[in-house]
Amino acid sequence: MSRKPRLKGRAARLARLFPARPRQAARTPFVLLVVLLLGGGLIGLLVLNSALSEGSFTMDDLQKDTKSLTDEEQALQRDIDSYSAPDALQRRARELGMVPGGDPAFLDPNGTVKGVPSAAALRSPAAVRPPEALATLPAFPSAGTATDTAPGASPTADAAVPEPAATAPGVSPTAATPTTPGR
């Protein structure tokens, strides 16, 4: 039976200041702090990783949208280029009844004429269409929009322009052309 000797006096007072056995409670807050820091760091990394992957998906969607819009822009630019090509402009001008002009003449500020003016080549009157027939033509048909044609109608049906009807003898040519209200 070993028992610790009882201390007396000054030694007893000093012994009360120092605990007889080490405390486990002093380690517990430190361990909890380390566990909380590690757990918080892992949760922070998880949140950061999720935000980065979400941003990656958003960036991928935006890149796809940019590519499709770039393709659409290039298709529209090709359409514009085809409409502004010289042969397309000439064909469209002929459809509207225009004829190539002659040689130009220029006026100087003093009133003299430079160059020899010539008249445009005349076309036969039967080939000239009335303005009402030209109004049915689309200015520049767009590439495949659903609002350009009626349902069930072919896109080329609008491009056909009817020739003016031949006039009967004794009837004026202006009476045969239909008139638009307000003109």
Side-chain angles (χ1 to χ4, degrees):
M1 292 194 199
S2 76
R3 225 173 164 200
K4 282 189 169 182
R6 287 195 119 190
L7 301 174
K8 293 181 184 176
R10 186 174 179 192
R13 281 182 285 172
L14 289 175
R16 276 186 272 162
L17 294 177
F18 297 108
R21 56 188 161 111
R23 286 189 193 176
Q24 294 295 339
R27 285 190 201 168
T28 306
F30 177 73
V31 171
L32 283 175
L33 177 69
V34 170
V35 168
L36 286 176
L37 286 175
L38 287 175
L42 287 175
I43 290 174
L45 284 174
L46 179 66
V47 168
L48 181 66
N49 189 17
S50 298
L52 287 176
S53 65
E54 181 182 345
S56 175
F57 286 129
T58 303
M59 187 175 71
D60 188 44
D61 290 342
L62 290 175
Q63 285 175 342
K64 286 178 185 176
D65 291 345
T66 302
K67 184 181 180 315
S68 68
L69 289 174
T70 302
D71 292 345
E72 183 179 350
E73 178 190 16
Q74 289 174 352
L76 291 172
Q77 187 62 45
R78 279 193 305 271
D79 289 347
I80 290 172
D81 292 342
S82 69
Y83 290 135
S84 62
D87 59 337
L89 289 175
Q90 182 182 16
R91 180 178 39 80
R92 181 79 176 128
R94 287 193 193 278
E95 288 174 1
L96 292 173
M98 296 179 171
V99 295
D103 294 328
F106 301 97
L107 292 176
D108 282 335
N110 62 5
T112 60
V113 178
K114 282 190 172 184
V116 178
S118 63
L122 293 176
R123 293 181 64 176
S124 65
V128 177
R129 295 184 178 96
E132 291 79 18
L134 295 177
T136 61
L137 286 177
F140 288 106
S142 58
T145 58
T147 58
D148 288 343
T149 59
S154 68
T156 56
D158 291 341
V161 177
E163 291 295 324
T167 58
V171 177
S172 70
T174 57
T177 59
T179 59
T180 305
R183 282 196 178 171

